Amino acid sequence: MWRSGASPGGAEDLSPFQGSDVFRLLTWRSRIRLQILRRFAAEKLNKLCLQCNIETIGTNGTIIRCWAPFHFSTPLMQHSTDFIVIGSGVAGLRAAVELARHGNVVVLTKDRLDESNTEYAQGGVAVALSDDDEIGLHAEDTLNAGAGLCDEHAVRTLVEEGPRYITELIDWGAQFDREGGALAFTREAAHSRRRILHARGDSTGSEIVRALLARARREPNITFHAHAATIGLLVEDGRCAGVEYIDPNESLMRLMRSRAVVLATGGAGQIFAQTTNPEVATGDGIAMAYAAGAEVCDLEFVQFHPTVLAAPGAPRFLLSEALRGEGGRLRNDEGELFMHRYDEREELAPRDVVSRSIVAEMTRTGRHWVYLDLTHLAATYLRERFPKIHLTCLRYGLDITMDQIPVSPAAHYLMGGVRTDTRGRTTLAGLYAAGEVTCTGVHGANRLASNSLLEGLVFGARAGAAASSDAFGNTAGTNTTGEDSIELTPGDWMIDPQARYRVQDLMWRCVGLIRERKEIEGALSDLDALVDRALNRRTRNFAELARLIARAALWREESRGGHFRSDFPARDDRKWRVHSAQRREHEIRGITEISAGN
């Protein structure tokens, strides 16, 4: 059962009785429990199953690894509820509040409740509420940014319903910045009007999460499970009927059934080596939906934020679009303004244009970054308008009121995702989705700045409403022990760090801001091998999503929005004004509309 002697890579095998160093990554409670289970197994009570692939350092400094642990199986505890929401960002919380009117809701999130891409959103939320703005202008700006691939119905839904949901959020206690008692609107790149609302200057996402969490916690029908990583979707008779997840209290896999599941797992920036996204943004939801049989679309369109802190030793901290919207200028290493060479809109051009312009300028000058210059703006205004950015830069020896800030692009937002209609219905019955995990067509090939928070509110509510009205059966309030046994792996909910690094490196070098066929094909070859030898499902999902992005990037032989091919640098509306669509065991294909037939 336990292999003794030498093991691959020179690692020392560990017997079941050699202490608990190998379980360093698990909770103390789980370590004790697993040690007890191992002792039972050693006595040939093979009624349970455990496989541990965790590598660590022993007390004597040697590498210790569990290689071929004994196998035992356990009945799977099944729980049931009316609705499951996966994710606790703006889309997930808004969906949960909507669903709570119709039954019991469980919100699963793999980290803290307030840890999501929403929490880090600085730029604000775009909404046509100011006196000099119009819904039609917001729609026009969104369509222009989307480079010909926006779904006009989805865009209209977003901009027309946005004011209602922002007003509702204010009624729920969200505190947006004001001037003289009136809401204060600012302007960002590619917007024709000042329509961006902020909270505490550059902490808009954090304030929206705070307000939504407070509202959700007042709902007695909502239960939160933090640190509960969802591993897969349960599909029965062609319908999503629940989820498999890691119970954070027991470190055991559980199955939870429901009438409907809403995916709100956010984005996938961690697929790339350079990203503004938090550690949790690994694209699990897209990969799980694809594995379950749902269709995914437009994964080639990745938005790279142009101005991300590039100071040595500093994190890849996003420097908001609003900095350029308020007058920030980009300079090269010689102090020259350069954006006029690349686009007549200069610093206010769409993000994909600014990002590629920065890369071109870095290549021309042989430098690893350019500079964002705010020193011509009033120091007091900068400190008050951008307090979080100001303090973060100070921590790394940079004062935005006095210094030019080194910046370069990093992966920021995925326009593609799980295909849905405008009510959050995916192509798999019983599965709904909202927020960055989706592809509604609202962003087209390139998202307009500050539309993502509004998208989460509008489509989170709509997905919740559709899930409750379409819901099948009645499963709430039962706990049963299933007949089937499962193999439990403590590493099942952790992405293998070596595979993670390899995927990130491949995607940044070969499927990043500028792409070409030979490099993408090379990346795909390596990704195929990574998927085939993945240690567990989350690692496989991580590598699979990268492969789906690379396949779509290879398929689209043109440049459009967030997808740029150096070997096909022109936009080709005659052939490529279509969306990429991928489904398990099917070839990639082009479709003309996202929501049609869905």
Side-chain angles (χ1 to χ4, degrees), residues 70-330:
F70 42 86
H71 292 275
F72 47 97
S73 60
T74 183
L76 178 59
M77 180 64 74
Q78 300 181 11
H79 304 273
S80 297
T81 187
D82 289 310
F83 307 106
I84 297 170
V85 176
I86 310 173
S88 60
V90 57
L93 291 172
R94 187 59 189 81
V97 171
E98 194 71 24
L99 287 165
R101 303 170 185 172
H102 305 280
N104 294 319
V105 184
V106 173
V107 178
L108 300 174
T109 181
K110 64 184 177 184
D111 207 285
R112 304 187 321 269
L113 294 179
D114 60 354
E115 179 71 1
S116 65
N117 273 355
T118 303
E119 172 71 13
Y120 294 87
Q122 301 170 6
V125 55
V127 62
L129 277 174
S130 66
D131 292 339
D132 69 340
D133 200 3
E134 299 174 15
I135 286 172
L137 292 175
H138 190 183
E140 183 179 337
D141 291 345
T142 301
L143 291 168
N144 288 339
L149 278 189
C150 288
D151 183 299
E152 292 197 27
H153 177 55
V155 171
R156 278 285 168 188
T157 300
L158 176 77
V159 300
E160 289 174 2
E161 297 190 11
R164 165 192 166 190
Y165 287 109
I166 291 295
T167 301
E168 176 186 72
L169 191 63
I170 293 170
D171 291 340
W172 289 352
Q175 300 290 321
F176 292 109
D177 296 341
R178 294 176 179 268
E179 291 178 355
L183 290 170
F185 294 93
T186 64
R187 184 181 175 187
E188 293 182 0
H191 285 272
S192 60
R193 294 290 188 274
R194 297 175 71 87
R195 66 169 64 99
I196 316 301
L197 288 175
H198 295 266
R200 300 192 305 278
D202 52 4
S203 298
T204 313
S206 177
E207 173 60 14
I208 289 176
V209 167
R210 184 204 63 76
L212 284 172
L213 266 177
R215 178 66 181 82
R217 282 172 169 151
R218 294 202 299 269
E219 292 288 346
N221 287 350
I222 298 178
T223 301
F224 293 96
H225 290 345
H227 304 283
T230 304
I231 301 300
L233 302 175
L234 175 66
V235 179
E236 295 177 344
D237 299 323
R239 182 182 185 86
C240 183
V243 303
E244 291 175 298
Y245 72 102
I246 297 297
D247 185 327
N249 296 314
E250 300 290 340
S251 290
L252 293 175
M253 189 173 296
R254 302 291 193 196
L255 187 150
M256 185 178 294
R257 295 179 179 276
S258 64
R259 296 161 60 195
V261 175
V262 178
L263 278 178
T265 51
Q270 286 291 324
I271 291 286
F272 296 90
Q274 303 296 324
T275 181
T276 63
N277 289 188
E279 288 291 318
V280 296
T282 50
D284 304 75
I286 300 171
M288 287 189 295
Y290 175 80
E295 196 161 53
V296 297
C297 291
D298 286 352
L299 291 178
E300 66 269 37
F301 296 117
V302 179
Q303 189 172 81
F304 293 83
H305 199 286
T307 53
V308 181
L309 186 61
R316 297 295 271 149
F317 178 73
L318 184 146
L319 298 177
S320 170
E321 200 93 23
L323 291 167
R324 286 178 288 119
E326 295 297 314
R329 306 302 302 273
L330 290 167

Side-chain angles (χ1 to χ4, degrees), residues 321-342:
E321 200 93 23
L323 291 167
R324 286 178 288 119
E326 295 297 314
R329 306 302 302 273
L330 290 167
R331 298 182 182 275
N332 60 24
D333 196 57
E334 292 156 3
E336 301 170 332
L337 297 172
F338 61 84
M339 277 303 300
H340 62 278
R341 297 192 186 110
Y342 303 100

